[in-house]
């Protein structure tokens, strides 16, 4: 008997509850490919089983019923044995299914179906909608003009705050750097051998249409970029009545429209497009090539153009954490404080910061990771769990999205901190943070690879080994070479990037790009995390969170 694999979110929510869904971390982070990281439900012979990423498995603490689950991948911890290889998504699913074949829902992303099919027989069940679409031309030049004008209008309101940062003068100048447009994507697409790219993720399509992701989602709209063309083709099942969208008629379906308007190698988002839709495009003669990394690199490359939005997001997080920490210190002794209480107070601090710099209603929640090390070492979303004075460490890893005046997301944050009531643990956190901003970030030079940046991060950590052992943050036999997780990454409108400071990462970053550096140190029942933003100048990187 074939095992059925359900990938729609509602199946998981119905089975495990809304609290479980709310506490999944990575589906919040993966804005262009949420369903490629979401848990799946397996049903075979009346038996139910969930497969979830190790990094999201803490959410099972909130599950409304005890459904067996297994994990794929692994989130770094010093407690993991060196050299252990975790199962992949496909390996975990096939092992849990215990059958000769699988049937997957038609809305499962192509990338996941390909992974499963590489290890056995996979069939598809169900259908995905395939409505007629209205076609519109949206001028690339108009989009670029809006990017530049909205940014330039926001520079004056941010200048007083940014001027007060350590590298304020350099950062203020960089906020008004010459804007980068679609010429960046033209070059990347040519290098990748792509003639066109179909952008189906609403979050990414914001930048190709000028519509917000909410509007794009409501309309079911997508965007077709053709390399070098003056216009973006917008495909929408519902009419779009705006003067800046030039009507081009209709098509029987999206596949017919793409086949008629794009030739050659057409890119798509493998982690976003469903297998059902993919097969319809194939039937229409469209042959796709994965363009996920090309699109992410485009957003990576032009992120520095929108530096002010990243500075806003990162420093709003720091203001929120400072506000939340003050609240914790005042109230934790009462014994009734929860992680969600802390998150609510954190967002009050964020809102106060936004009002102070004139960015009210422009800063929005992305992800709120708040938890004591005693609850989990995994990156868990804030839940209804107590925060107690006896907890050794309380970790924050906070994401915010910042929009321009049209509502389009232009920047995000990925900033981490730890609060500890233990003097030694707090001092260790503060020292790691100082190493980030005073040593690691200044050592990052244009043209470096992710692997080189990681090696530099490990070297920066080497002097703290003895102290970390003394306070119980390393076991006696451990060495700093065991720090195999990333020490940072580049950053774009979401935290998914093209360069990670990891062993073996040969991707490079250059002047004008930005990102974050981080030291995350989980062991036993304690976790220290610190993360700061950087901007790469021709002379090297500088922090924008101090």
């Amino acid at each position: 008997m074939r095992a059925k694999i359900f990938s729609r979110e509602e199946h998981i929510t119905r089975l495990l509850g809304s609290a479980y869904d709310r506490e999944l971390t990575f589906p919040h982070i993966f804005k262009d490919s949420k369903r490629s990281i979401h848990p799946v439900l397996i049903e075979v012979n009346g038996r139910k089983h969930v497969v979830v990423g190790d990094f999201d498995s803490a959410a099972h603490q909130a599950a409304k019923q005890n459904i067996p689950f297994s994990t794929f991948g692994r989130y770094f911890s010093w407690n993991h044995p060196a050299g252990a290889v975790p199962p992949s998504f496909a390996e975990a699913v096939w092992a849990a299914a215990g059958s000769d074949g699988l049937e997957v829902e038609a809305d499962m992303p192509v990338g996941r179906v390909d992974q499963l099919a590489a290890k056995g027989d996979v069939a598809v069940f169900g259908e995905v909608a395939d409505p007629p679409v209205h076609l519109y031309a949206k001028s690339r030049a108009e989009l670029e003009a809006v990017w530049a004008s909205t940014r330039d209008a926001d520079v004056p309101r941010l200048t007083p705050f940014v001027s007060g940062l350590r590298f304020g003068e350099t950062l203020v100048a960089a906020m008004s750097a010459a804007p980068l447009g679609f010429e960046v994507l033209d070059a990347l697409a040519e290098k990748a051998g792509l003639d066109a790219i179909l952008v189906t993720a609403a979050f990414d399509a914001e930048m190709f249409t000028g519509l917000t992701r909410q509007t794009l989602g409501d309309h079911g709209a997508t965007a077709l970029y053709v390399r070098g063309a003056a216009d973006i083709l917008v495909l929408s099942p519902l009419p779009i009545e705006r003067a800046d969208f030039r009507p081009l008629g209709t098509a029987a379906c999206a596949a017919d429209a793409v086949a008629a308007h794009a030739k050659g190698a057409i890119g798509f988002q493998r982690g976003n497009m469903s297998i059902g839709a993919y097969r319809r495009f194939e039937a229409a003669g469209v042959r796709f090539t994965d363009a996920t990394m090309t699109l992410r690199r485009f957003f990576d490359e032009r992120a520095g153009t929108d530096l002010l939005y990243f500075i806003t997001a990162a420093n709003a997080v720091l203001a929120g954490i400072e506000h939340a920490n003050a609240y914790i210190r005042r109230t934790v002794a009462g014994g009734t404080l929860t992680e969600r209480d802390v998150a609510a107070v954190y967002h009050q601090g964020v809102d106060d910061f936004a009002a102070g710099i004139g960015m009210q209603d422009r800063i929005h929640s992305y992800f709120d990771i708040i938890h004591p090390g005693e609850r989990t070492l995994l990156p868990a979303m804030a839940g209804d769990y107590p925060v107690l004075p006896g907890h050794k460490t309380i970790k924050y890893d906070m994401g915010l999205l910042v929009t321009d005046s049209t509502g389009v997301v232009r920047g995000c944050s990925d900033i981490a901190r730890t609060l500890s009531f233990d003097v030694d643990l707090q001092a260790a956190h503060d020292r790691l943070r100082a190493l980030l901003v005073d040593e690691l970030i200044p050592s990052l030079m244009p043209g470096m690879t992710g692997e080189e940046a990681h090696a530099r991060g490990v070297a920066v950590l080497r002097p703290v080994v003895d102290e970390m052992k003394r306070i119980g943050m390393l076991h006696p036999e451990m060495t700093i070479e065991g720090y195999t997780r990333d020490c940072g990454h580049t950053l774009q409108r979401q935290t998914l990037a093209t360069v990670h400071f990891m062993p073996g990462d040969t991707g490079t970053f250059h002047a004008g790009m930005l990102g974050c550096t981080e030291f995350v140190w989980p062991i036993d029942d304690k976790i220290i995390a610190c993360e700061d933003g950087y901007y790469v100048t021709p002379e090297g990187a500088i922090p924008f969170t101090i």
Side-chain angles (χ1 to χ4, degrees):
M1 176 179 289
R2 288 180 179 270
K4 282 200 168 186
I5 315 299
F6 296 91
S7 56
R8 294 180 189 269
E9 294 173 41
E10 56 261 34
H11 295 302
I12 300 292
T13 302
R14 191 181 308 119
L15 185 69
L16 299 179
S18 57
Y20 174 87
D21 185 68
R22 185 174 61 244
E23 292 185 23
L24 292 170
T25 300
F26 279 68
H28 288 86
I29 293 174
F30 280 55
K31 290 296 186 184
D32 65 357
S33 50
K34 177 179 182 178
R35 289 178 300 123
S36 72
I37 203 72
H38 200 274
V40 297
L41 170 65
I42 301 171
E43 288 190 1
V44 58
N45 293 325
R47 175 175 58 88
K48 291 181 172 65
H49 188 98
V50 171
V51 171
V52 60
D54 174 67
F55 35 79
D56 270 328
S57 58
H60 279 267
Q61 295 172 333
K64 70 179 184 180
Q65 57 179 313
N66 186 22
I67 301 296
F69 73 94
S70 53
T71 64
F72 64 91
R74 178 163 292 163
Y75 189 78
F76 172 80
S77 166
W78 283 101
N79 298 108
H80 289 150
V85 179
S88 67
F89 168 73
E91 289 168 341
V93 169
W94 277 102
S99 61
D100 295 329
L102 306 177
E103 290 186 14
V104 302
E105 280 190 295
D107 82 329
M108 180 176 279
V110 174
R112 279 196 151 177
V113 177
D114 286 347
Q115 293 171 44
L116 294 172
K119 295 189 176 295
D121 183 42
V122 175
V124 177
F125 71 92
E127 296 287 339
V128 294
D130 189 29
V133 291
H134 300 266
L135 305 178
Y136 301 91
K138 173 66 179 177
S139 166
R140 279 178 31 159
E142 286 182 5
L143 287 167
E144 292 168 337
V146 171
W147 297 347
S149 62
T150 51
R151 184 203 69 171
D152 291 347
D154 284 331
V155 167
R157 72 181 80 231
L158 266 296
T159 296
F161 173 79
V162 177
S163 297
L165 297 176
R166 179 187 289 182
F167 293 95
E169 183 177 351
T170 301
L171 292 169
V172 167
M175 290 195 305
S176 296
L180 298 176
F182 283 108
E183 74 279 356
V184 176
L185 183 56
D186 289 339
L188 291 168
E190 183 175 19
K191 183 178 179 180
L194 295 172
D195 298 293
I197 301 174
L198 180 62
V199 184
T200 53
F203 186 80
D204 289 344
E206 285 191 332
M207 295 293 282
F208 290 81
T209 63
L211 302 173
T212 67
R213 61 195 184 282
Q214 291 88 352
T215 299
L216 287 159
D218 290 344
H219 282 68
T222 57
L224 179 67
Y225 152 89
V226 176
R227 192 179 78 227
D231 295 323
I232 304 293
L233 180 70
V234 181
L235 303 79
S236 177
L238 299 178
I240 300 173
E241 297 179 359
R242 283 179 39 155
D244 55 333
F245 281 68
R246 180 162 51 88
L248 298 178
T250 60
C253 62
D256 286 353
V258 172
H261 286 82
K263 306 300 179 185
I266 303 174
F268 81 120
Q269 296 178 281
R270 183 178 292 275
N272 180 270
M273 182 179 286
S274 70
I275 186 63
Y278 180 84
R279 289 184 172 181
R280 289 214 177 97
F281 280 101
E282 276 196 322
V286 176
R287 296 295 177 262
F288 281 128
T289 299
D290 188 22
T292 301
M293 296 309 291
T294 299
L295 283 171
R296 289 180 184 172
R297 185 67 182 187
F298 167 53
F299 293 128
D300 257 7
E301 293 269 354
R302 70 168 311 280
T305 292
D306 289 338
L307 173 63
L308 71 92
Y309 299 106
F310 293 89
I311 293 176
T312 299
N315 286 280
V317 167
L318 295 180
I321 290 175
E322 182 179 3
H323 192 68
N325 281 348
Y327 178 73
I328 291 173
R329 292 188 179 100
R330 290 195 307 269
T331 61
V332 70
T336 59
L337 192 62
T338 70
E339 295 165 3
R340 292 185 72 186
D341 294 333
V342 174
V345 175
Y346 157 83
H347 282 288
Q348 291 174 1
V350 169
D351 290 344
D352 289 347
F353 177 84
I357 60 171
M359 294 289 279
Q360 301 95 319
D361 302 319
R362 303 274 294 279
I363 304 177
H364 308 277
S365 180
Y366 182 9
F367 55 86
D368 296 342
I369 298 172
I370 304 174
H371 60 89
E374 285 86 351
R375 175 160 86 87
T376 181
L377 298 182
L378 300 170
M381 296 287 277
D384 293 317
Y385 306 97
V387 175
L388 302 172
H391 284 147
K392 300 181 184 72
T393 55
I394 301 165
K395 175 193 175 186
Y396 298 89
D397 191 353
M398 312 302 282
L400 294 170
L401 301 173
V402 180
T403 64
D404 61 24
S405 58
T406 71
V408 170
V409 173
R410 300 287 288 276
C412 74
S413 69
D414 188 8
I415 299 294
R417 290 289 187 269
T418 290
L419 171 66
S420 178
F421 302 114
D422 181 285
V423 173
D424 287 338
L425 292 175
Q426 189 63 52
H429 165 274
D430 296 346
R431 185 175 182 190
L432 290 181
R433 196 268 169 131
L435 290 175
L436 283 181
V437 297
D438 295 333
E439 296 193 31
L440 180 54
I441 289 177
S443 74
L444 302 178
M445 295 294 159
M448 286 181 73
T449 66
E451 183 171 49
E452 290 169 337
H454 180 269
R456 179 58 188 153
V458 171
V460 164
L461 288 172
R462 190 161 278 111
V464 307
V465 169
D466 289 344
E467 176 63 12
M468 292 303 235
K469 289 183 177 181
R470 184 188 73 80
I471 64 175
M473 292 303 294
L474 273 181
H475 297 165
E477 73 282 1
M478 292 177 174
T479 68
I480 199 60
E481 280 66 33
Y483 193 87
T484 55
R485 66 154 288 143
D486 71 279
C487 297
H489 49 83
T490 52
L491 198 61
Q492 44 133 325
R493 297 169 61 248
Q494 57 179 332
T495 65
L496 302 182
T498 59
V499 183
H500 291 83
F501 301 169
M502 289 278 291
D505 192 316
T506 58
T508 60
F509 52 89
H510 56 70
M513 294 176 69
L514 52 78
C516 55
T517 56
E518 59 186 311
F519 292 138
V520 180
W521 201 290
I523 188 167
D524 301 332
D525 60 352
K526 304 177 291 295
I527 182 166
I528 292 177
C530 47
E531 190 168 15
D532 279 85
Y534 68 84
Y535 173 74
V536 185
T537 76
E539 293 74 35
I542 56 175
F544 55 73
T545 44
I546 189 169

